[in-house]
Amino acid sequence: MEFQLNRNHAKPLYLQLSDQLQERIRSGSLPAGAKLPPVRDLATNLGLTRLTVHNAYSELQAGGWVEAYVGRGTFVAQRTQPTLQSLHVPARSHETSMPWISQGMLADMMRLSQDPNLISFAQAGPAAETFPVRDLGRAIQHALRDPAALGYGPTQGELPLREAVATWLLDRNVVTSPDNVLITSGAQQAVALVLRAFVRQGDVVLVEEPTYLGFIEQATALGVRLIGVPMDEQGMRIDALRHVLREYKPRLLYTVPTYHNPTGICLAPERQTALLQLAREHSLTILEDDVYGPLGYDGTPPLPLKSRDTEGRVIHLGSFSKILTPGLRLGYLVAQEEQLGPLLAAKRSADLHCSPLLQRALADYLGRGQLAGHLRLVRELYRERRDAMKKALQRSCPRDVQWSTPTGGLCFWLALPPGINGADVYSEAIERGVGITLGSVFFPQPPRSAYIRLCFAAQTPAAIERGVSILGDLLTDHLRRHSQLAARACRETEPLM
Amino acid sequence: MEFQLNRNHAKPLYLQLSDQLQERIRSGSLPAGAKLPPVRDLATNLGLTRLTVHNAYSELQAGGWVEAYVGRGTFVAQRTQPTLQSLHVPARSHETSMPWISQGMLADMMRLSQDPNLISFAQAGPAAETFPVRDLGRAIQHALRDPAALGYGPTQGELPLREAVATWLLDRNVVTSPDNVLITSGAQQAVALVLRAFVRQGDVVLVEEPTYLGFIEQATALGVRLIGVPMDEQGMRIDALRHVLREYKPRLLYTVPTYHNPTGICLAPERQTALLQLAREHSLTILEDDVYGPLGYDGTPPLPLKSRDTEGRVIHLGSFSKILTPGLRLGYLVAQEEQLGPLLAAKRSADLHCSPLLQRALADYLGRGQLAGHLRLVRELYRERRDAMKKALQRSCPRDVQWSTPTGGLCFWLALPPGINGADVYSEAIERGVGITLGSVFFPQPPRSAYIRLCFAAQTPAAIERGVSILGDLLTDHLRRHSQLAARACRETEPLM
């Protein structure tokens, strides 16, 4: 088989390869049942690494184009619709059930963020230059004075860290006890544990639409039925929520009420009240994701739902990944005593417990009160970068693109006008050296419009200006092409006389 | 309600409380539907912490004695058989589906290991005094020179660590590429990812009987049908395996072929060959757990199955928890290219990735070749302790108890004679200051005999001698009581004339 592979192309080689294979399957030149060459052979023939070919095949497999059988090889699927397939050892069917998103694109996101040649706005991460390397290094050395820091530890987490978290939560008006805190491997694991502990296949779970990608992935992997509640500039729409509560019997509602990812929106205070009231009426448990809560740039951030939860309906989660460093992989859940049993069982099953060394080091760091100073510093830095992105968007972004300035968190959310293809914008942006996140990954169902998310915290104001300007040109080009096409379509349908 | 609670009793307060509540439910003095006092109230009335009361209620809930409804309270279950129940937000039904084991006992195990007043043989962990605190501290400081160590990293793991793992595996005759290595949060997560990626609810999975508790917990949580293959002193019985392969269509076989946990047995070489041959014939995927493999004390350890796997049927897992320190929470999977896609998706869903800081530090440590020296040291130390336990058992253990000396790994496995109740031995051992693990936790189905596991690596020879002597006395007492009872039963059924 021959392929057109271009190493200098921004599209990764494995995607070039999988696209061309897909084309042949579509066209029938590779019919159902045909065997693809072994990874090793194709890699040798094309001068690629085996991993590249493997990734291309995985991509095809995720899309349902091929089926792989361990020991036999990879075959063109009988049904070449992007549906689910069985391997010899099959992937769980729902693991790949977001057919409107290229799985390769998802896997790209993190990789893109680490490409030094890109100005990447892709990942909602903090700025590496703010990491308190010296303070954390010292805290780790302190923790190492007790060799038990390198041993097994309690599943719920090290007590000093749970105490520090309970103290730190007072800043967000959440009054809890260390007994109610469970230390997790970041917010992603916190979400995974709550789903694992309380939700079964087929249960309905409500989310904001759009919502955090990591929640969608986990929930679909579990075979959960995700229902999106639309948002407006005040957050989740309560009228729509009321409707879906009547319609479905949801098990859980997952929400990012403060500096929502990806939109940056905060849930209005009167909606907070209405949401808690509805939760009471419908015996609904709420999972509140507050990982961005402390990152407010204009005035005091809204208080979390958990601070007004008098009935234990809210499981609260937070993380040190966005406000301090992701590399410790430490976050937390705050739950009622009644909820802790299943959560602890899920944590023990997942990975026994988090590293006692890193937990004790973080407890030491927090115990010295160093987080408050760090937060002042990063808030100031990110405010500057937020402002830089705002200015750059005002200058470069075509008028037809909608966006507003977030008052906190890490991202801008752009709604593209009809006719613009988000995936094209995504791949062309990478070609021009700018990494972005395609908005569709944040939707539990394929969205009607195209969106992109731009994260500003990890880039300098100069890079933000350059990147947004490139992106603005690209969007302008797209709009011009679209309106020319529209005009031509219009002319072509004009009556000849 | 009044309770007899004894703070000086070895049985934890929460178990005392839950046992007494259970007794009242059994006797009908707490009828079905009765509401238990709120945790807060009962805690205040009894002068207990809320966590203690909560744990007691969880215990009852896990056993199906009560049902809890968030916001309403805890009620005596309608069916008070130890079956599964629904919470307002229910635990997954299979999360608590080992009814022959007290869930509280499981949760105790790790806690016991950390009680300084106990001589604990409970946990299969390494000796804290061997942890290379200074070397790892230095490696962490090196890693911190690059702030990216505190940022997000690749889901598959840091490349330098994957390279170091591939190099280190050559010592076990496993030839692989860093591309085939996935870094996990210990062996527990490796197991979780394989199950998550390749096994669905209702699938049959084969295990040795007994087997690693963490595998049973994970698999039952997923609703997997676990079939145990009996063992003899040569490891898994191939005749029995042949039988279950014909009977069921297993998705996966999980095995600890070298220094098996909990029995310490190695799979005989000719059985390795037969197992791989059967895997070929039945298209079976094998998950090989090699976490104890490097810990051989008598001669060269057997090679792993993976070293003879020419067909990619074996997914291999290892960990640094047993051979170095558990506190890094780092282990690995070695899988075929075709298997990595679903495994990476599962890892990303679970927790994105492991701490880049700890991964880079471990890569630095391994890169300096420090593990080989460390292993020489711990092998020597653990051999001494193994020998100390052997001698102590020879001296103190009643003749009716069966055991043999493990040639590697971290534990002895004792089969108790008929009539001895394992749970009684377990709680009386704790009363007398010795922590052990009850053998039944390692069985996917309730075992016919009683067993206990004794781990020796974390105790000094003197403590081993003392602990085993206490345990020997206890077992002797039990046997004497049992034979008296048996004799009495015999007398009582004797004809009067």
PDB file of all heavy atoms in Angstrom, chain A residues 241-270:
ATOM      1  N   LEU A 241     -33.492  22.873  33.833  1.00  0.00           N
ATOM      2  CA  LEU A 241     -33.215  21.872  34.870  1.00  0.00           C
ATOM      3  C   LEU A 241     -34.524  21.303  35.415  1.00  0.00           C
ATOM      4  O   LEU A 241     -34.688  20.094  35.568  1.00  0.00           O
ATOM      5  CB  LEU A 241     -32.391  22.508  35.999  1.00  0.00           C
ATOM      6  CG  LEU A 241     -32.144  21.622  37.220  1.00  0.00           C
ATOM      7  CD1 LEU A 241     -31.350  20.374  36.847  1.00  0.00           C
ATOM      8  CD2 LEU A 241     -31.440  22.398  38.322  1.00  0.00           C
ATOM      9  N   ARG A 242     -35.461  22.214  35.703  1.00  0.00           N
ATOM     10  CA  ARG A 242     -36.762  21.798  36.218  1.00  0.00           C
ATOM     11  C   ARG A 242     -37.408  20.792  35.259  1.00  0.00           C
ATOM     12  O   ARG A 242     -37.941  19.772  35.666  1.00  0.00           O
ATOM     13  CB  ARG A 242     -37.655  23.038  36.362  1.00  0.00           C
ATOM     14  CG  ARG A 242     -38.529  23.061  37.601  1.00  0.00           C
ATOM     15  CD  ARG A 242     -39.390  24.310  37.627  1.00  0.00           C
ATOM     16  NE  ARG A 242     -38.622  25.535  37.871  1.00  0.00           N
ATOM     17  CZ  ARG A 242     -38.354  26.005  39.083  1.00  0.00           C
ATOM     18  NH1 ARG A 242     -38.766  25.368  40.149  1.00  0.00           N
ATOM     19  NH2 ARG A 242     -37.667  27.117  39.228  1.00  0.00           N
ATOM     20  N   HIS A 243     -37.283  21.096  33.988  1.00  0.00           N
ATOM     21  CA  HIS A 243     -37.859  20.242  32.964  1.00  0.00           C
ATOM     22  C   HIS A 243     -37.222  18.848  32.986  1.00  0.00           C
ATOM     23  O   HIS A 243     -37.930  17.841  33.015  1.00  0.00           O
ATOM     24  CB  HIS A 243     -37.685  20.910  31.593  1.00  0.00           C
ATOM     25  CG  HIS A 243     -38.144  20.066  30.466  1.00  0.00           C
ATOM     26  ND1 HIS A 243     -39.481  19.899  30.174  1.00  0.00           N
ATOM     27  CD2 HIS A 243     -37.452  19.329  29.573  1.00  0.00           C
ATOM     28  CE1 HIS A 243     -39.589  19.092  29.137  1.00  0.00           C
ATOM     29  NE2 HIS A 243     -38.378  18.731  28.756  1.00  0.00           N
ATOM     30  N   VAL A 244     -35.877  18.783  32.978  1.00  0.00           N
ATOM     31  CA  VAL A 244     -35.242  17.460  32.920  1.00  0.00           C
ATOM     32  C   VAL A 244     -35.432  16.694  34.224  1.00  0.00           C
ATOM     33  O   VAL A 244     -35.482  15.467  34.222  1.00  0.00           O
ATOM     34  CB  VAL A 244     -33.735  17.495  32.546  1.00  0.00           C
ATOM     35  CG1 VAL A 244     -33.545  18.050  31.152  1.00  0.00           C
ATOM     36  CG2 VAL A 244     -32.908  18.251  33.548  1.00  0.00           C
ATOM     37  N   LEU A 245     -35.558  17.400  35.347  1.00  0.00           N
ATOM     38  CA  LEU A 245     -35.827  16.703  36.611  1.00  0.00           C
ATOM     39  C   LEU A 245     -37.179  16.013  36.563  1.00  0.00           C
ATOM     40  O   LEU A 245     -37.366  14.931  37.104  1.00  0.00           O
ATOM     41  CB  LEU A 245     -35.776  17.685  37.788  1.00  0.00           C
ATOM     42  CG  LEU A 245     -34.382  18.122  38.241  1.00  0.00           C
ATOM     43  CD1 LEU A 245     -34.473  19.240  39.284  1.00  0.00           C
ATOM     44  CD2 LEU A 245     -33.596  16.953  38.811  1.00  0.00           C
ATOM     45  N   ARG A 246     -38.146  16.684  35.921  1.00  0.00           N
ATOM     46  CA  ARG A 246     -39.469  16.078  35.776  1.00  0.00           C
ATOM     47  C   ARG A 246     -39.404  14.887  34.821  1.00  0.00           C
ATOM     48  O   ARG A 246     -40.014  13.860  35.045  1.00  0.00           O
ATOM     49  CB  ARG A 246     -40.476  17.109  35.257  1.00  0.00           C
ATOM     50  CG  ARG A 246     -41.258  17.830  36.361  1.00  0.00           C
ATOM     51  CD  ARG A 246     -42.521  18.473  35.813  1.00  0.00           C
ATOM     52  NE  ARG A 246     -42.230  19.389  34.715  1.00  0.00           N
ATOM     53  CZ  ARG A 246     -42.008  20.703  34.866  1.00  0.00           C
ATOM     54  NH1 ARG A 246     -42.042  21.245  36.070  1.00  0.00           N
ATOM     55  NH2 ARG A 246     -41.755  21.468  33.835  1.00  0.00           N
ATOM     56  N   GLU A 247     -38.634  15.063  33.765  1.00  0.00           N
ATOM     57  CA  GLU A 247     -38.590  14.088  32.670  1.00  0.00           C
ATOM     58  C   GLU A 247     -37.850  12.809  33.059  1.00  0.00           C
ATOM     59  O   GLU A 247     -38.263  11.720  32.733  1.00  0.00           O
ATOM     60  CB  GLU A 247     -37.895  14.737  31.469  1.00  0.00           C
ATOM     61  CG  GLU A 247     -38.045  14.021  30.159  1.00  0.00           C
ATOM     62  CD  GLU A 247     -39.356  14.416  29.474  1.00  0.00           C
ATOM     63  OE1 GLU A 247     -40.132  15.240  30.043  1.00  0.00           O
ATOM     64  OE2 GLU A 247     -39.601  13.917  28.386  1.00  0.00           O
ATOM     65  N   TYR A 248     -36.702  12.966  33.733  1.00  0.00           N
ATOM     66  CA  TYR A 248     -35.822  11.831  34.047  1.00  0.00           C
ATOM     67  C   TYR A 248     -35.761  11.692  35.558  1.00  0.00           C
ATOM     68  O   TYR A 248     -36.140  12.583  36.293  1.00  0.00           O
ATOM     69  CB  TYR A 248     -34.424  12.092  33.481  1.00  0.00           C
ATOM     70  CG  TYR A 248     -34.417  12.396  32.024  1.00  0.00           C
ATOM     71  CD1 TYR A 248     -34.432  13.720  31.576  1.00  0.00           C
ATOM     72  CD2 TYR A 248     -34.408  11.376  31.073  1.00  0.00           C
ATOM     73  CE1 TYR A 248     -34.438  14.015  30.217  1.00  0.00           C
ATOM     74  CE2 TYR A 248     -34.415  11.667  29.714  1.00  0.00           C
ATOM     75  CZ  TYR A 248     -34.437  12.990  29.298  1.00  0.00           C
ATOM     76  OH  TYR A 248     -34.440  13.278  27.970  1.00  0.00           O
ATOM     77  N   LYS A 249     -35.259  10.593  36.013  1.00  0.00           N
ATOM     78  CA  LYS A 249     -34.982  10.452  37.452  1.00  0.00           C
ATOM     79  C   LYS A 249     -33.471  10.437  37.631  1.00  0.00           C
ATOM     80  O   LYS A 249     -32.891   9.369  37.768  1.00  0.00           O
ATOM     81  CB  LYS A 249     -35.578   9.151  37.993  1.00  0.00           C
ATOM     82  CG  LYS A 249     -37.063   9.191  38.196  1.00  0.00           C
ATOM     83  CD  LYS A 249     -37.501   8.019  39.074  1.00  0.00           C
ATOM     84  CE  LYS A 249     -39.007   7.902  39.113  1.00  0.00           C
ATOM     85  NZ  LYS A 249     -39.686   9.096  39.627  1.00  0.00           N
ATOM     86  N   PRO A 250     -32.833  11.601  37.603  1.00  0.00           N
ATOM     87  CA  PRO A 250     -31.365  11.582  37.636  1.00  0.00           C
ATOM     88  C   PRO A 250     -30.845  11.102  38.977  1.00  0.00           C
ATOM     89  O   PRO A 250     -31.442  11.333  40.024  1.00  0.00           O
ATOM     90  CB  PRO A 250     -30.984  13.051  37.396  1.00  0.00           C
ATOM     91  CG  PRO A 250     -32.182  13.828  37.780  1.00  0.00           C
ATOM     92  CD  PRO A 250     -33.374  12.958  37.533  1.00  0.00           C
ATOM     93  N   ARG A 251     -29.726  10.414  38.910  1.00  0.00           N
ATOM     94  CA  ARG A 251     -29.047   9.884  40.072  1.00  0.00           C
ATOM     95  C   ARG A 251     -28.183  10.965  40.705  1.00  0.00           C
ATOM     96  O   ARG A 251     -27.963  10.984  41.911  1.00  0.00           O
ATOM     97  CB  ARG A 251     -28.182   8.714  39.581  1.00  0.00           C
ATOM     98  CG  ARG A 251     -27.124   8.214  40.481  1.00  0.00           C
ATOM     99  CD  ARG A 251     -27.674   7.457  41.637  1.00  0.00           C
ATOM    100  NE  ARG A 251     -28.473   6.326  41.192  1.00  0.00           N
ATOM    101  CZ  ARG A 251     -29.355   5.717  42.000  1.00  0.00           C
ATOM    102  NH1 ARG A 251     -29.545   6.128  43.236  1.00  0.00           N
ATOM    103  NH2 ARG A 251     -30.039   4.697  41.558  1.00  0.00           N
ATOM    104  N   LEU A 252     -27.683  11.859  39.848  1.00  0.00           N
ATOM    105  CA  LEU A 252     -26.632  12.793  40.273  1.00  0.00           C
ATOM    106  C   LEU A 252     -26.640  13.973  39.317  1.00  0.00           C
ATOM    107  O   LEU A 252     -27.016  13.828  38.157  1.00  0.00           O
ATOM    108  CB  LEU A 252     -25.284  12.058  40.165  1.00  0.00           C
ATOM    109  CG  LEU A 252     -24.015  12.719  40.696  1.00  0.00           C
ATOM    110  CD1 LEU A 252     -23.986  12.577  42.218  1.00  0.00           C
ATOM    111  CD2 LEU A 252     -22.774  12.049  40.115  1.00  0.00           C
ATOM    112  N   LEU A 253     -26.252  15.145  39.836  1.00  0.00           N
ATOM    113  CA  LEU A 253     -26.015  16.295  38.977  1.00  0.00           C
ATOM    114  C   LEU A 253     -24.582  16.741  39.202  1.00  0.00           C
ATOM    115  O   LEU A 253     -24.175  16.973  40.339  1.00  0.00           O
ATOM    116  CB  LEU A 253     -26.986  17.422  39.300  1.00  0.00           C
ATOM    117  CG  LEU A 253     -26.837  18.708  38.483  1.00  0.00           C
ATOM    118  CD1 LEU A 253     -28.198  19.343  38.233  1.00  0.00           C
ATOM    119  CD2 LEU A 253     -25.927  19.729  39.135  1.00  0.00           C
ATOM    120  N   TYR A 254     -23.816  16.827  38.108  1.00  0.00           N
ATOM    121  CA  TYR A 254     -22.436  17.290  38.194  1.00  0.00           C
ATOM    122  C   TYR A 254     -22.389  18.727  37.705  1.00  0.00           C
ATOM    123  O   TYR A 254     -22.904  19.030  36.623  1.00  0.00           O
ATOM    124  CB  TYR A 254     -21.528  16.414  37.338  1.00  0.00           C
ATOM    125  CG  TYR A 254     -20.138  16.988  37.123  1.00  0.00           C
ATOM    126  CD1 TYR A 254     -19.182  16.926  38.139  1.00  0.00           C
ATOM    127  CD2 TYR A 254     -19.783  17.593  35.926  1.00  0.00           C
ATOM    128  CE1 TYR A 254     -17.910  17.466  37.954  1.00  0.00           C
ATOM    129  CE2 TYR A 254     -18.515  18.121  35.728  1.00  0.00           C
ATOM    130  CZ  TYR A 254     -17.591  18.047  36.745  1.00  0.00           C
ATOM    131  OH  TYR A 254     -16.330  18.581  36.561  1.00  0.00           O
ATOM    132  N   THR A 255     -21.792  19.616  38.491  1.00  0.00           N
ATOM    133  CA  THR A 255     -21.758  21.025  38.097  1.00  0.00           C
ATOM    134  C   THR A 255     -20.432  21.676  38.465  1.00  0.00           C
ATOM    135  O   THR A 255     -19.797  21.307  39.446  1.00  0.00           O
ATOM    136  CB  THR A 255     -22.929  21.798  38.750  1.00  0.00           C
ATOM    137  OG1 THR A 255     -22.789  23.204  38.444  1.00  0.00           O
ATOM    138  CG2 THR A 255     -22.941  21.647  40.272  1.00  0.00           C
ATOM    139  N   VAL A 256     -20.012  22.614  37.636  1.00  0.00           N
ATOM    140  CA  VAL A 256     -18.853  23.469  37.928  1.00  0.00           C
ATOM    141  C   VAL A 256     -19.426  24.875  38.075  1.00  0.00           C
ATOM    142  O   VAL A 256     -19.407  25.667  37.134  1.00  0.00           O
ATOM    143  CB  VAL A 256     -17.810  23.422  36.786  1.00  0.00           C
ATOM    144  CG1 VAL A 256     -16.512  24.122  37.211  1.00  0.00           C
ATOM    145  CG2 VAL A 256     -17.520  21.981  36.376  1.00  0.00           C
ATOM    146  N   PRO A 257     -19.974  25.215  39.266  1.00  0.00           N
ATOM    147  CA  PRO A 257     -20.729  26.466  39.358  1.00  0.00           C
ATOM    148  C   PRO A 257     -19.857  27.722  39.313  1.00  0.00           C
ATOM    149  O   PRO A 257     -20.358  28.782  38.965  1.00  0.00           O
ATOM    150  CB  PRO A 257     -21.458  26.341  40.705  1.00  0.00           C
ATOM    151  CG  PRO A 257     -20.726  25.324  41.485  1.00  0.00           C
ATOM    152  CD  PRO A 257     -20.049  24.419  40.511  1.00  0.00           C
ATOM    153  N   THR A 258     -18.595  27.604  39.665  1.00  0.00           N
ATOM    154  CA  THR A 258     -17.756  28.800  39.743  1.00  0.00           C
ATOM    155  C   THR A 258     -16.638  28.754  38.702  1.00  0.00           C
ATOM    156  O   THR A 258     -15.849  27.816  38.682  1.00  0.00           O
ATOM    157  CB  THR A 258     -17.148  28.922  41.159  1.00  0.00           C
ATOM    158  OG1 THR A 258     -18.210  28.862  42.121  1.00  0.00           O
ATOM    159  CG2 THR A 258     -16.402  30.230  41.322  1.00  0.00           C
ATOM    160  N   TYR A 259     -16.596  29.783  37.848  1.00  0.00           N
ATOM    161  CA  TYR A 259     -15.615  29.845  36.759  1.00  0.00           C
ATOM    162  C   TYR A 259     -15.643  28.532  35.980  1.00  0.00           C
ATOM    163  O   TYR A 259     -14.626  27.835  35.821  1.00  0.00           O
ATOM    164  CB  TYR A 259     -14.209  30.175  37.291  1.00  0.00           C
ATOM    165  CG  TYR A 259     -14.201  31.361  38.222  1.00  0.00           C
ATOM    166  CD1 TYR A 259     -13.514  31.333  39.425  1.00  0.00           C
ATOM    167  CD2 TYR A 259     -14.912  32.522  37.895  1.00  0.00           C
ATOM    168  CE1 TYR A 259     -13.512  32.415  40.285  1.00  0.00           C
ATOM    169  CE2 TYR A 259     -14.921  33.616  38.751  1.00  0.00           C
ATOM    170  CZ  TYR A 259     -14.229  33.553  39.943  1.00  0.00           C
ATOM    171  OH  TYR A 259     -14.243  34.627  40.798  1.00  0.00           O
ATOM    172  N   HIS A 260     -16.817  28.246  35.519  1.00  0.00           N
ATOM    173  CA  HIS A 260     -17.136  27.004  34.809  1.00  0.00           C
ATOM    174  C   HIS A 260     -16.143  26.709  33.681  1.00  0.00           C
ATOM    175  O   HIS A 260     -15.757  27.604  32.937  1.00  0.00           O
ATOM    176  CB  HIS A 260     -18.553  27.174  34.234  1.00  0.00           C
ATOM    177  CG  HIS A 260     -19.022  26.049  33.379  1.00  0.00           C
ATOM    178  ND1 HIS A 260     -18.997  26.106  31.998  1.00  0.00           N
ATOM    179  CD2 HIS A 260     -19.539  24.836  33.693  1.00  0.00           C
ATOM    180  CE1 HIS A 260     -19.495  24.984  31.505  1.00  0.00           C
ATOM    181  NE2 HIS A 260     -19.831  24.197  32.522  1.00  0.00           N
ATOM    182  N   ASN A 261     -15.750  25.467  33.590  1.00  0.00           N
ATOM    183  CA  ASN A 261     -14.947  24.976  32.486  1.00  0.00           C
ATOM    184  C   ASN A 261     -15.894  24.285  31.505  1.00  0.00           C
ATOM    185  O   ASN A 261     -16.607  23.367  31.902  1.00  0.00           O
ATOM    186  CB  ASN A 261     -13.917  23.966  33.013  1.00  0.00           C
ATOM    187  CG  ASN A 261     -13.094  23.329  31.904  1.00  0.00           C
ATOM    188  OD1 ASN A 261     -12.970  23.859  30.806  1.00  0.00           O
ATOM    189  ND2 ASN A 261     -12.524  22.158  32.206  1.00  0.00           N
ATOM    190  N   PRO A 262     -15.958  24.677  30.246  1.00  0.00           N
ATOM    191  CA  PRO A 262     -15.065  25.581  29.527  1.00  0.00           C
ATOM    192  C   PRO A 262     -15.544  27.025  29.404  1.00  0.00           C
ATOM    193  O   PRO A 262     -14.813  27.814  28.812  1.00  0.00           O
ATOM    194  CB  PRO A 262     -15.045  24.946  28.137  1.00  0.00           C
ATOM    195  CG  PRO A 262     -16.443  24.446  27.957  1.00  0.00           C
ATOM    196  CD  PRO A 262     -16.862  23.965  29.330  1.00  0.00           C
ATOM    197  N   THR A 263     -16.696  27.409  29.912  1.00  0.00           N
ATOM    198  CA  THR A 263     -17.238  28.725  29.511  1.00  0.00           C
ATOM    199  C   THR A 263     -16.780  29.886  30.383  1.00  0.00           C
ATOM    200  O   THR A 263     -16.948  31.049  30.003  1.00  0.00           O
ATOM    201  CB  THR A 263     -18.787  28.717  29.545  1.00  0.00           C
ATOM    202  OG1 THR A 263     -19.199  28.544  30.920  1.00  0.00           O
ATOM    203  CG2 THR A 263     -19.364  27.614  28.691  1.00  0.00           C
ATOM    204  N   GLY A 264     -16.270  29.620  31.595  1.00  0.00           N
ATOM    205  CA  GLY A 264     -15.857  30.690  32.493  1.00  0.00           C
ATOM    206  C   GLY A 264     -17.001  31.324  33.275  1.00  0.00           C
ATOM    207  O   GLY A 264     -16.787  32.217  34.101  1.00  0.00           O
ATOM    208  N   ILE A 265     -18.233  30.837  33.050  1.00  0.00           N
ATOM    209  CA  ILE A 265     -19.423  31.441  33.665  1.00  0.00           C
ATOM    210  C   ILE A 265     -19.570  31.035  35.133  1.00  0.00           C
ATOM    211  O   ILE A 265     -19.169  29.947  35.522  1.00  0.00           O
ATOM    212  CB  ILE A 265     -20.673  31.012  32.855  1.00  0.00           C
ATOM    213  CG1 ILE A 265     -20.685  31.766  31.517  1.00  0.00           C
ATOM    214  CG2 ILE A 265     -21.969  31.234  33.625  1.00  0.00           C
ATOM    215  CD1 ILE A 265     -21.692  31.228  30.529  1.00  0.00           C
ATOM    216  N   CYS A 266     -20.149  31.947  35.963  1.00  0.00           N
ATOM    217  CA  CYS A 266     -20.498  31.613  37.345  1.00  0.00           C
ATOM    218  C   CYS A 266     -22.018  31.472  37.467  1.00  0.00           C
ATOM    219  O   CYS A 266     -22.774  32.238  36.872  1.00  0.00           O
ATOM    220  CB  CYS A 266     -20.051  32.713  38.304  1.00  0.00           C
ATOM    221  SG  CYS A 266     -18.270  32.859  38.418  1.00  0.00           S
ATOM    222  N   LEU A 267     -22.438  30.503  38.256  1.00  0.00           N
ATOM    223  CA  LEU A 267     -23.864  30.327  38.524  1.00  0.00           C
ATOM    224  C   LEU A 267     -24.339  31.481  39.402  1.00  0.00           C
ATOM    225  O   LEU A 267     -23.786  31.715  40.478  1.00  0.00           O
ATOM    226  CB  LEU A 267     -24.087  28.992  39.240  1.00  0.00           C
ATOM    227  CG  LEU A 267     -25.535  28.561  39.464  1.00  0.00           C
ATOM    228  CD1 LEU A 267     -26.240  28.264  38.152  1.00  0.00           C
ATOM    229  CD2 LEU A 267     -25.596  27.331  40.378  1.00  0.00           C
ATOM    230  N   ALA A 268     -25.361  32.194  38.952  1.00  0.00           N
ATOM    231  CA  ALA A 268     -25.855  33.361  39.694  1.00  0.00           C
ATOM    232  C   ALA A 268     -26.372  32.927  41.066  1.00  0.00           C
ATOM    233  O   ALA A 268     -26.928  31.838  41.206  1.00  0.00           O
ATOM    234  CB  ALA A 268     -26.969  34.032  38.898  1.00  0.00           C
ATOM    235  N   PRO A 269     -26.195  33.791  42.110  1.00  0.00           N
ATOM    236  CA  PRO A 269     -26.591  33.420  43.474  1.00  0.00           C
ATOM    237  C   PRO A 269     -28.034  32.941  43.581  1.00  0.00           C
ATOM    238  O   PRO A 269     -28.310  31.940  44.258  1.00  0.00           O
ATOM    239  CB  PRO A 269     -26.389  34.714  44.255  1.00  0.00           C
ATOM    240  CG  PRO A 269     -25.388  35.497  43.481  1.00  0.00           C
ATOM    241  CD  PRO A 269     -25.560  35.121  42.050  1.00  0.00           C
ATOM    242  N   GLU A 270     -28.967  33.600  42.900  1.00  0.00           N
ATOM    243  CA  GLU A 270     -30.368  33.170  43.025  1.00  0.00           C
ATOM    244  C   GLU A 270     -30.569  31.803  42.370  1.00  0.00           C
ATOM    245  O   GLU A 270     -31.411  31.016  42.787  1.00  0.00           O
ATOM    246  CB  GLU A 270     -31.341  34.217  42.457  1.00  0.00           C
ATOM    247  CG  GLU A 270     -31.202  34.560  40.986  1.00  0.00           C
ATOM    248  CD  GLU A 270     -30.069  35.555  40.698  1.00  0.00           C
ATOM    249  OE1 GLU A 270     -29.249  35.826  41.615  1.00  0.00           O
ATOM    250  OE2 GLU A 270     -29.991  36.052  39.550  1.00  0.00           O
TER     251      GLU A 270
END
